[in-house]
Amino acid sequence: MKGIIFVLHGRRNRIARGNFAAVEQLVSLLEKDGFLCRIGLLEGDHQTLEAALTQLQELGVTEYLLVPVLLFGATHFKQDLPERTQKILGEAKVQLLAPLGTTQAIYQSLKQQLMTNLAEKPGTRGLLIAHGTPHYQEPAVQLQQIAAKMSQETGYQILAVNYIGSNDYQSFLTAHPEERFVIQPFFLTHGHLVEKISQWIKKNHLPMDVILPTLEESPALVEALKERLVEAGCIPS
């Protein structure tokens, strides 16, 4: 029997309802096709990853598909998720899908959002701000590739920086004090970090900067999850 666990980052004090709603849409479809599905959170004490794994294990699941509702492969993806899963499941068969940041659904959504706003603000450049990580190179490489491809396809210059790690947003914007940007937070939720970034920009950079919405309420999140599930053979294309 095969079970599917949608793995969300989670928060200690607030649930991102937009992310949950996106997952719940797909759970209802998958369960009609006979899959057993659960949601597991990496942070917080409610609806944990361990609880989701244990529930499926007790229901007789022998094959597990983990669908990370994460954007890039940093510490949660590369360390926490496999280590915590192995502690519960041991040597059970587990398939871990790729994060969502490189899906076409998310790429096209953010590209369109940036392009629309850049067209309304002549003389501005686009700026993607992702979480970043000091521990792995792959997310930074993927982010730069996304920005370069968007620049090529839109004809607008779109750059990319991080909240933490190399090429951080504060250093970048401080080095460009007089330039206006259309800023796209590359985050799944408008949580504490995005609010912190927004407040810093409003205080320390030009107030004419445009800060676009995150992916929290975007239909692209559902489409990105579908994209990964099609790749895994769980739903038809």
Side-chain angles (χ1 to χ4, degrees), residues 45 53 68 84 88 91 94 130-131 147 163 193-194 220:
D45 300 323
L53 291 167
R84 289 166 63 177
I88 301 295
E91 299 305 315
V94 178
H131 186 284
Y163 170 69
L193 290 185
V194 173

Side-chain angles (χ1 to χ4, degrees), residues 70-82:
L70 305 169
L71 287 174
F72 294 100
T75 302
H76 275 316
F77 179 79
K78 292 183 177 294
Q79 293 184 25
D80 296 344
L81 184 50

Side-chain angles (χ1 to χ4, degrees), residues 14-181:
R14 177 176 171 264
I15 297 298
R17 287 306 314 166
N19 289 182
F20 262 66
V23 170
E24 286 165 352
Q25 286 186 48
L26 295 172
V27 166
S28 63
L29 294 174
L30 290 162
E31 289 183 338
K32 287 179 182 178
D33 288 334
F35 291 100
L36 291 174
C37 300
R38 293 291 185 275
I39 294 174
L41 305 183
L42 290 166
E43 291 193 3
D45 300 323
H46 171 72
Q47 208 165 339
T48 63
L49 171 63
E50 286 78 4
L53 291 167
T54 301
Q55 288 167 16
L56 291 184
Q57 191 178 50
E58 290 174 349
L59 289 170
V61 169
T62 55
E63 296 183 29
Y64 298 81
L65 180 70
L66 303 184
V67 185
V69 189
L70 305 169
L71 287 174
F72 294 100
T75 302
H76 275 316
F77 179 79
K78 292 183 177 294
Q79 293 184 25
D80 296 344
L81 184 50
E83 288 174 4
R84 289 166 63 177
T85 298
Q86 199 276 333
K87 284 182 181 179
I88 301 295
L89 300 183
E91 299 305 315
K93 185 175 181 180
V94 178
Q95 181 183 2
L96 175 60
L97 301 190
L100 304 176
T102 57
T103 57
Q104 277 299 304
I106 284 178
Y107 173 81
Q108 294 297 338
S109 177
L110 296 186
K111 183 181 80 169
Q112 186 60 50
Q113 191 162 262
L114 276 164
M115 192 163 54
T116 298
N117 283 270
L118 286 166
E120 297 172 354
K121 302 285 183 182
T124 60
R125 292 194 287 175
L127 187 65
L128 293 168
I129 302 181
H131 186 284
T133 173
H135 305 298
Y136 299 98
Q137 288 298 314
E138 185 180 36
V141 171
Q142 290 174 334
L143 182 65
Q144 294 302 324
Q145 289 172 340
I146 289 168
K149 185 178 178 183
M150 284 185 181
S151 297
Q152 183 179 28
E153 292 182 356
T154 65
Y156 296 103
Q157 188 173 17
I158 298 172
L159 306 170
V161 293
N162 295 301
Y163 170 69
I164 60 172
S166 61
N167 195 25
D168 69 280
Y169 79 102
Q170 292 185 2
S171 297
F172 176 84
L173 290 172
T174 299
H176 298 84
E178 303 300 322
E179 186 172 357
R180 293 180 298 161
F181 292 93

